[in-house]
Amino acid sequence: MLFAITCTDRPGALELRKATRAQHLAFLEAHKDGILLAGPQLDANGNPCGSLVLLEAPDRATAEGFATADPYAKVNLFESVIIRPLRTVFRDGQMAE
């Protein structure tokens, strides 16, 4: 099942994000088999202000465990984390079946 994990950074947390980025990227690399897309959301100035991960996981509990284990989550970077199942309708230039 596909899950969209949408995270919003706490206000004023850009330096914390920068300081934890290497650990976060290593975490993503370790879980790359289940990640379809991952990247920062940007504010009006082009600075990271949140994260988006599209994760293939067998169930919601696994997706929640992934989100909780992220180094960004462990240093309390996020103001909010929303995890929702996602159904693919259009992908790679084509309608999904």
Side-chain angles (χ1 to χ4, degrees):
M1 176 174 266
L2 188 60
F3 291 89
I5 303 172
T6 307
C7 308
T8 302
D9 292 2
R10 289 185 295 110
L14 181 57
E15 292 307 314
L16 178 59
R17 174 180 273 275
K18 289 179 180 179
T20 313
R21 185 171 186 265
Q23 296 95 322
H24 169 72
L25 293 177
F27 174 79
L28 295 180
E29 180 68 26
H31 293 87
K32 66 183 176 184
D33 290 344
I35 298 172
L36 275 65
L37 177 143
Q41 298 180 68
L42 306 176
D43 66 15
N45 297 317
N47 293 314
C49 63
S51 299
L52 174 67
V53 177
L54 297 182
L55 180 71
E56 186 69 39
D59 52 43
R60 183 179 183 85
T62 302
E64 290 173 352
F66 172 90
T68 301
D70 186 328
Y72 281 164
K74 289 184 174 189
V75 296
N76 198 29
L77 174 67
F78 301 129
E79 178 178 71
S80 67
V81 176
I82 299 171
I83 301 171
R84 291 195 172 120
L86 179 70
R87 181 177 337 132
T88 303
V89 174
F90 199 85
R91 182 173 177 177
D92 298 328
Q94 300 199 14
M95 294 292 286
E97 295 184 17

